Amino acid sequence: MPSEQRVPSQRTLTDRTLVVSGGSRGIGLAIAIGAARQGANVVLLAKTAEPHPKLPGTVHTAVADVEAAGGKAVAVVGDVRKEEDVARAVDTAVEHFGGIDICVNNASAIATEPTEQLSAKKFDLMMDINVRGTFLLTKACLPHLRESPNPHVLTLAPPLNMNPHWLGAHPAYTLSKYGMTLLSLGWAAEYAEAGIAFNCLWPETYIATSAVANIGADALKTSRDPQIMADAAVEVLSRPARETTGQCFIDSAVLASAGVSDLSRYGGGDNPTLDIFVDKALDKS
């Protein structure tokens, strides 16, 4: 089978346990399904217990999707901002699967209004979900990650691009996402001796999620499928933790390093729209 038609990693996540925040849909669910295809166990922490009129799927349909892909899954209805809900998700992983090998900080909120139009409520929401939620889930997983033979924490956050364009485009949102990145890089240094990998993963282009759908149909046409993030995540999470830490990865670059050069199967057309915080197309030659 040609390399561009497979999940690039030849390693396996069989019987490894992931805790994923915000995994009801989109990139989080795609990563959960990608891991499940290699036999992983998944605990999904998400708020959507009942169908939403404007959003697809619930945490329960996500569990069904993960199990259909070949993994085992458990739903935890909860809010990543609440310490007790995060603790319940971690306890559920340990009770059902005996431990935790991987933490995926996927839950995120976005508001890009200009500063004078951005409400304090939206500012607080982004800080609480993006920064506090990442802190709470990672902290709760850490004692169990220490016991894993190949522990990884993967945070969906961008490289620290200090281009004034991005700093000025939406400072509050940028602060919240860069906060996630700084936590990850800081933890990579703090837990280097423990051998726990901390990395960030960010898409080179728009990804066809509900957030992008809100922009409009044209944006969806130039967006890649969430599967590209799933394939890149599986590749990173399959690597030895001590050799793969403190990095801010871009999905297409991860796949290129694994020998996947043809990204056409992920959609987006010939010129997919670059995601925010990405200045230009990467040189993959």
Side-chain angles (χ1 to χ4, degrees):
M1 180 179 294
S3 62
E4 63 268 23
Q5 297 300 318
R6 62 174 173 83
V7 174
S9 176
Q10 294 299 315
R11 293 168 289 276
T12 178
L13 297 178
T14 301
D15 294 328
R16 309 298 297 282
T17 298
L18 293 76
V19 178
V20 182
S21 64
S24 293
R25 60 186 67 88
I27 293 172
L29 177 57
I31 291 173
I33 291 173
R37 287 181 177 137
Q38 292 201 8
N41 310 313
V42 182
V43 174
L44 295 168
L45 171 63
K47 291 172 60 180
T48 310
E50 302 296 331
H52 190 283
K54 296 182 179 180
L55 297 173
T58 69
V59 69
H60 303 297
T61 61
V63 163
D65 291 340
V66 170
E67 292 179 338
K72 299 176 182 177
V74 179
V76 176
V77 178
D79 190 332
V80 75
R81 296 172 290 178
K82 296 181 179 179
E83 198 166 5
E84 61 271 23
D85 288 358
V86 170
R88 189 157 45 86
V90 169
D91 289 345
T92 298
V94 175
E95 290 167 6
H96 279 77
F97 304 119
I100 296 171
D101 300 287
I102 296 165
C103 168
V104 178
N105 292 303
N106 168 75
S108 189
I110 181 172
T112 58
E113 293 95 321
T115 298
E116 291 174 88
Q117 280 75 56
L118 182 70
S119 68
K121 182 177 180 180
K122 287 185 177 180
F123 179 93
D124 289 344
L125 181 68
M126 288 190 289
M127 299 304 161
D128 283 351
I129 294 178
N130 301 359
V131 181
R132 175 184 168 88
T134 295
F135 171 79
L136 289 179
L137 184 60
T138 302
K139 179 183 177 181
C141 288
L142 276 167
H144 307 287
L145 291 169
R146 287 182 179 275
E147 304 302 318
S148 170
N150 195 36
H152 279 263
V153 177
L154 188 65
T155 298
L156 279 291
L160 296 174
N161 185 343
M162 303 307 284
N163 184 328
H165 171 76
W166 297 119
L167 294 178
H170 29 63
Y173 176 63
T174 298
L175 174 64
S176 71
K177 295 305 292 188
Y178 284 11
M180 296 170 72
T181 305
L182 286 170
L183 281 174
S184 184
L185 296 176
W187 284 325
E190 185 178 10
Y191 292 94
E193 292 187 8
I196 303 174
F198 291 88
N199 296 289
C200 296
L201 180 64
W202 193 250
E204 178 189 20
T205 69
Y206 276 12
I207 300 297
T209 62
S210 298
V212 171
N214 288 334
I215 299 174
D218 289 342
L220 281 177
K221 291 178 183 177
T222 58
S223 300
R224 288 175 177 157
D225 190 272
Q227 186 62 44
I228 189 172
M229 286 289 281
D231 288 353
V234 167
E235 174 65 25
V236 172
L237 296 172
S238 299
R239 293 175 178 176
R242 288 188 178 274
E243 300 173 16
T244 311
T245 188
Q247 301 295 312
C248 292
F249 291 109
I250 297 292
D251 57 358
S252 58
V254 171
L255 297 183
S257 72
V260 179
S261 57
D262 182 1
L263 304 180
S264 61
R265 73 186 182 101
Y266 299 113
D270 294 335
N271 294 293
T273 302
L274 294 181
D275 205 353
I276 57 177
F277 308 118
V278 178
D279 287 332
K280 59 183 179 179
L282 301 176
D283 181 2
K284 306 179 194 71
S285 60

